[in-house]
Amino acid sequence: MKFLRIAPALILLATLAACAPVGRIILLPEPGGKSGAVEVKTKAGTAVLSQPYQTASFNQNGDLTSGETNATTVAEQYKLLLSQQPPAVSRFTLRFAEGSRLTNESEVQLEQILAEAAKRPGSEIFVTGHTD
């Protein structure tokens, strides 16, 4: 008899669990406020996120729900996750006086570049150049 009283609650709980989001995608802005775009596809549909802080949530059935959030909410709800992001990209320009000799300013800057690289574990450094 006790089971018959609990059964409706268990059915409701199971129904809500099937509808609850199991995944969420939030499009974050790039530095400067711009954003790219991402297409979220599940077996039940597709959502395109193209504006900062647009969201797409999906449940176990793949049903998509689109929405929006804001910077404050993301910072509060995902503080730990956001703290794990790698540092932003740094760009430097070195100039040469003649041949392969750096200008005085670039020699000073080279020391700053090496110090910055040493602070970044697992960093990648890309060097590009051109001649006139």
Side-chain angles (χ1 to χ4, degrees):
M1 236 11 189
K2 193 174 188 179
F3 176 74
L4 292 177
R5 282 186 272 155
I6 298 174
L10 292 175
I11 292 170
L12 178 62
L13 184 61
T15 303
L16 291 175
C19 296
V22 295
R24 177 173 295 127
I25 293 90
I26 302 172
L27 184 62
L28 298 178
E30 296 177 19
K34 294 182 180 181
S35 71
V38 64
E39 182 176 72
V40 181
K41 287 186 178 183
T42 69
K43 62 184 176 184
T46 301
V48 176
L49 309 179
S50 60
Q51 297 297 316
Y53 300 107
Q54 283 185 318
T55 66
S57 300
F58 54 93
N59 63 17
Q60 292 175 335
N61 298 327
D63 299 324
L64 282 169
T65 304
S66 296
E68 291 183 14
T69 188
N70 59 58
T72 302
T73 302
V74 169
E76 290 171 358
Q77 290 183 349
Y78 300 99
K79 184 177 183 176
L80 180 62
L81 184 61
L82 292 171
S83 73
Q84 302 302 311
Q85 292 185 57
V89 172
S90 295
R91 296 189 192 316
F92 303 94
T93 301
L94 296 175
R95 303 206 183 277
F96 294 85
E98 289 182 26
S100 59
R101 188 169 98 41
L102 289 171
T103 62
N104 292 337
E105 296 83 12
S106 289
E107 285 184 24
V108 171
Q109 189 178 20
L110 182 57
E111 292 176 21
Q112 294 169 347
I113 294 168
L114 295 174
E116 178 71 23
K119 291 190 297 188
R120 297 172 175 247
S123 293
E124 292 182 335
I125 298 176
F126 293 95
V127 177
T128 60
H130 70 88
T131 60
D132 293 329

